[in-house]
């Protein structure tokens, strides 16, 4: 059994490598043969060389770092504030019902539309991108925490009261932990939105970050540079996802081995 | 210890309950219930489903407000008060994000006993509940029987003289259930606690109880009370004892009548 499984894994990995080799090989070949104009499509060998050069001069890492930090700060701050707001709605059903329609409206609105206003308030600064990424995450986290707080098992709440728990104890021992599993499950979704917020913010106006780099390169018709930025962004997004996945798996270990 | 037969550990005096939901006809769940339980007694409550058994427990535990009547513990009124009795609700209700050990100490934690201290106190007792070695497991990895024992341990360690158990073994398979019954009796014998136990299984009721209360169809009232004068300790042989079988027939007849009434009034 294990060897069969091992074989299957080897085939899968080999297949994946083959996909990359074929796609980039064909791309390179077609450009060299003059079928694809390099001006519009770029060329893998040049992209690799440029990426290497930008790695050496530190500019690529700097741009990655700017985008990552905007994303992570926006994500963490949005998650914290959104969760606190959503959870606190558990305390008062009437207050929650007053706020609910506005929350639904905020949630339905594309937060990117806030960008011009954020530029007005914060200028074309680093913090404007953080704010954009934050504003996307905070509404989702708020919504998720609120829905989680409504879905708390009412029997668990009864149990706590039967043990003569106070309302605050019910909140901390039952409502918060059971909402946390909802909130944590939204991490993956939110980190993606957070990254989108940061990159779009950099598109609008910036002087650093992968979004800025892609936008700028494209405006000067440097397609090879655009590809360096895009591929870096893909890697960065994957790394963020894996990180968030790990955190999720750790925090939700109680759900059992799945 | 004994303060004479007239001192009830728990007294239910004229408790009734009608659920009023706006826009719906009121539901009379409980008629007027009067009953007394002596200290250290084991009483089983049987009755057709929907007759208000869980409602009665919720009222005794102070989670639900009675429409009339009072609950007295050791002679003083405790109507509507929580934390007077240990109560295990119909489901085992372990917090899924807490380990077995942390679930068991929940009651102590709510009384502000430091976690570390509570854990140290509980750890040596796990073996008695068949949970040794599982203290760091999450509930999702336990069998049904173990989950029930963990929940029972939490209820018993809450350390109230009166314990209410609402169909605790309802979801267990026959073998596990039989083992759990014997185990519960031995724990009860050691602890000297007063237990009120809901079940829909007449055999289970007779096997466990000193006394069986039979409830009528909704609105539930105590239709009959029956002593179970069968010697303890009871074992699986008790189940085929002629006296046991005769009692069982008697209870089943009454229950069947009530169940039919409950069925017909649906
Ligand atoms: N919160 C409630 N509102 C309205 N009716 C209720 C409520 N809780 C229970 N009931 C009704 O009261 C009756 C008794 O319920 P319950 O005590 O759970 O029965 P049992 O535990 O004996 O099966 C049932 O008919 C049930 O539908
Ligand atoms: Mg019930």
């Amino acid at each position: 059994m294990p060897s069969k499984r091992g074989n299957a894994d080897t085939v899968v990995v080999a297949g994946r490598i083959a996909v990359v080799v074929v796609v980039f090989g064909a791309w390179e070949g077609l450009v060299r043969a003059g079928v694809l104009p390099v001006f519009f499509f770029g060329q893998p060998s040049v992209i690799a060389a440029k990426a290497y050069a930008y790695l050496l001069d530190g500019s690529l890492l700097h741009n990655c770092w700017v985008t990552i930090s905007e994303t992570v700060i926006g994500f963490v701050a949005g998650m914290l504030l959104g969760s606190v707001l959503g959870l606190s709605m558990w305390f008062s059903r009437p207050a929650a019902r007053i706020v609910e329609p506005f929350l639904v409206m905020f949630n339905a609105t594309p937060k990117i539309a806030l960008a011009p206003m954020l530029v007005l308030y914060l200028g074309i600064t680093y913090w404007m991108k953080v704010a954009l990424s934050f504003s996307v995450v905070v509404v989702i986290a708020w919504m998720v925490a609120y829905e989680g707080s409504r879905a708390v098992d009412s029997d668990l709440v009864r149990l706590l009261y039967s043990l003569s728990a106070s309302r605050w104890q019910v909140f901390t021992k039952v409502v918060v932990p059971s909402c946390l599993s909802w909130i944590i499950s939204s991490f993956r979704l939110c980190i993606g939105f957070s990254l989108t917020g940061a990159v779009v913010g950099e598109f609008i106006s910036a002087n650093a970050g992968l979004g800025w780099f892609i936008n700028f390169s494209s405006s000067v018709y440097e397609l090879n540079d655009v590809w360096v930025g895009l591929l870096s962004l893909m890697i960065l997004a994957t790394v963020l996802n894996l990180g968030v996945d790990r955190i999720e798996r750790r925090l939700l270990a109680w759900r059992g081995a799945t | 210890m004994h303060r004479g037969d007239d001192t009830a550990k728990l007294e239910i005096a004229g408790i009734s309950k009608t659920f009023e939901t706006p826009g719906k006809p009121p539901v009379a769940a409980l008629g007027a219930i009067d009953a007394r339980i002596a200290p250290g007694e084991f009483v089983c409550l049987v009755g057709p489903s929907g007759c208000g058994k869980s409602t009665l427990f919720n009222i005794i535990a102070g989670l639900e407000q009675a429409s009339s009547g009072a609950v007295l513990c050791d002679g003083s009124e405790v109507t509507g008060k929580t934390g007077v009795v240990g109560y295990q609700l119909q489901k085992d209700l372990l917090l899924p994000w807490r380990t077995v050990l942390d679930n068991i100490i929940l009651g102590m934690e709510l009384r502000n006993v430091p976690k570390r201290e509570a854990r140290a106190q509980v750890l040596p007792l796990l073996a008695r509940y068949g949970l040794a070695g599982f203290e760091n497991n999450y509930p999702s990895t336990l069998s049904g029987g173990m989950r029930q024992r963990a929940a029972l341990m939490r209820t018993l360690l809450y350390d109230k003289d009166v314990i209410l158990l609402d169909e605790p073994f309802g979801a267990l398979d026959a073998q596990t259930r039989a083992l759990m019954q014997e185990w519960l009796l031995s724990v009860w014998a050691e602890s000297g606690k007063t237990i009120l136990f809901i079940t829909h299984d007449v055999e289970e009721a007779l096997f466990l109880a000193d006394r069986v209360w039979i409830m009528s169809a909704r609105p539930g009232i105590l239709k009959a009370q029956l002593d179970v004068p069968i010697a303890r300790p009871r074992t699986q042989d008790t189940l085929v004892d002629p006296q046991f079988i005769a009692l069982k027939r008697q209870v089943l007849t009454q229950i069947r009548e009530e169940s039919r009434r409950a069925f017909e009034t649906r």
Side-chain angles (χ1 to χ4, degrees):
Chain A
M1 275 306 261
S3 78
K4 209 169 184 182
R5 178 75 204 262
N7 275 340
D9 284 352
T10 316
V11 170
V12 168
V13 171
R16 287 171 184 166
I17 293 172
V19 168
V20 173
V21 169
V22 167
V23 168
F24 283 92
W27 181 359
E28 179 80 29
L30 289 172
V31 169
R32 285 191 186 212
V35 180
L36 294 178
V38 66
F39 177 74
F40 279 126
F41 290 91
Q43 186 177 353
S45 56
V46 181
I47 295 168
K50 288 201 142 190
Y52 186 61
Y54 296 145
L55 266 179
L56 286 187
D57 71 15
S59 66
L60 184 55
L61 287 183
H62 174 66
N63 285 327
C64 282
W65 173 245
V66 168
T67 304
I68 286 197
S69 60
E70 288 162 356
T71 303
V72 171
I73 295 174
F75 173 81
V76 172
M79 272 292 163
L80 285 177
L81 184 66
S83 304
V84 168
L85 289 171
L87 281 166
S88 63
M89 283 164 81
W90 176 81
F91 283 100
S92 167
R93 187 77 195 107
R97 289 188 56 195
I98 292 172
V99 175
E100 197 182 84
F102 303 108
L103 182 55
V104 171
M105 274 166 66
F106 281 136
N107 192 42
T109 309
K111 261 63 70 182
I112 302 303
L114 293 176
M117 210 167 69
L118 291 176
V119 173
L120 208 64
Y121 292 151
L122 297 168
I124 48 174
T125 56
Y126 176 82
W127 292 106
M128 172 242 149
K129 286 86 183 173
V130 172
L132 195 54
S133 144
F134 164 86
S135 61
V136 182
V137 174
V138 73
V139 181
I140 301 175
W142 186 344
M143 195 82 188
V144 167
Y146 171 53
E147 278 176 7
S149 79
R150 297 195 58 187
V152 170
D153 185 347
S154 58
D155 284 331
L156 289 181
V157 174
R158 284 170 94 78
L159 166 76
L160 269 269
Y161 283 129
S162 84
L163 298 168
S164 67
S166 64
R167 211 165 147 67
W168 178 249
Q169 282 175 323
V170 172
F171 181 70
T172 56
K173 311 274 181 210
V174 174
V175 178
V176 171
S178 91
C179 281
L180 268 184
S181 78
W182 284 60
I183 294 166
I184 292 163
S185 304
S186 76
F187 276 8
R188 207 177 324 183
L189 180 78
C190 284
I191 195 79
F193 280 126
S194 169
L195 182 59
T196 307
V199 169
V200 171
E202 290 167 358
F203 279 178
I204 290 167
S205 56
N207 49 27
L210 286 175
W212 162 78
F213 182 71
I214 291 170
N215 194 35
F216 173 78
S217 306
S218 157
S219 69
V220 295
Y221 305 103
E222 267 296 347
L223 262 289
N224 287 315
D225 284 352
V226 171
W227 276 110
V228 171
L230 271 179
L231 293 171
S232 308
L233 196 55
M234 276 169 81
I235 293 168
L236 195 147
T238 309
V239 168
L240 284 174
N241 255 296
L242 289 177
V244 161
D245 252 19
R246 270 185 97 119
I247 294 171
E248 179 178 339
R249 211 153 333 132
R250 249 195 109 125
L251 293 178
L252 296 183
W254 56 267
R255 280 191 172 169
T258 40
Chain B
M1 205 49 212
H2 279 270
R3 287 192 281 166
D5 254 16
D6 57 332
T7 340
K9 184 75 209 175
L10 188 76
E11 184 170 349
I12 300 159
I15 287 286
S16 75
K17 174 72 185 179
T18 303
F19 287 104
E20 318 258 5
T21 320
K24 282 188 191 160
V27 179
L30 287 175
I33 300 218
D34 284 288
R36 299 154 70 86
I37 309 175
E41 201 177 13
F42 197 131
V43 172
C44 279
L45 187 55
V46 294
S49 73
C51 74
K53 303 181 295 291
S54 299
T55 304
L56 179 62
F57 270 21
N58 285 334
I59 291 171
I60 296 173
L63 296 177
E64 195 97 67
Q65 213 179 343
S67 304
S68 73
V71 180
L72 288 85
C73 189
D74 290 323
S76 44
E77 179 160 358
V78 294
T79 320
K81 269 198 201 164
T82 59
V84 176
V85 297
Y87 181 17
Q88 181 165 342
L89 290 93
Q90 200 156 352
K91 295 192 258 167
D92 56 37
L93 291 183
L94 299 171
L95 304 182
W97 52 82
R98 283 181 170 234
T99 62
V100 168
L101 187 57
D102 285 352
N103 263 292
I104 293 168
I105 64 166
L106 181 64
M108 305 166 90
E109 206 182 313
L110 294 173
R111 287 201 313 256
N112 297 316
V113 178
K115 264 192 182 184
R116 184 185 297 248
E117 200 176 296
R119 286 192 188 122
Q121 210 173 316
V122 167
L123 208 50
L125 305 175
L126 284 170
R128 181 70 188 86
Y129 291 76
L131 292 167
F134 289 91
E135 55 270 19
N136 293 322
N137 280 51
Y138 288 105
S140 61
T141 65
L142 298 187
S143 68
M146 289 171 112
R147 292 170 59 99
Q148 277 302 340
R149 284 197 295 268
L152 272 169
M153 191 169 178
R154 175 180 65 201
T155 310
L156 293 172
L157 285 177
Y158 188 54
D159 212 17
K160 300 293 161 184
D161 295 343
V162 179
I163 307 285
L164 312 180
L165 304 174
D166 191 348
E167 297 196 33
F169 306 148
L172 303 181
D173 62 83
Q175 280 81 14
T176 313
R177 178 187 264 240
L179 292 171
M180 292 288 289
Q181 288 166 357
E182 285 186 48
W183 173 84
L184 176 63
L185 283 182
S186 68
V187 171
W188 167 66
E190 286 166 17
S191 70
K193 291 190 186 299
T194 308
I195 296 187
L196 193 49
F197 186 110
I198 294 178
T199 174
H200 53 251
D201 180 349
V202 171
E203 193 162 274
E204 178 169 79
L206 291 170
F207 182 72
L208 294 172
D210 295 321
R211 210 142 49 99
V212 176
W213 292 352
I214 302 166
M215 273 177 84
S216 70
R218 206 181 71 209
I221 53 162
L222 280 196
K223 196 187 161 202
Q225 300 195 24
L226 185 91
D227 284 318
V228 186
I230 293 174
R232 298 182 187 272
R234 298 174 188 168
T235 63
Q236 292 305 303
D237 293 335
T238 310
L239 300 177
V240 290
D241 184 306
Q243 192 189 3
F244 186 89
I245 293 173
L247 279 170
K248 189 170 151 188
R249 182 168 301 132
Q250 199 180 331
V251 177
L252 278 174
T253 313
Q254 303 216 27
I255 294 260
R256 206 165 292 137
E257 213 171 283
E258 288 309 321
S259 300
R260 191 175 305 123
R261 274 187 43 207
F263 185 76
E264 280 161 3
T265 53
R266 285 267 157 85

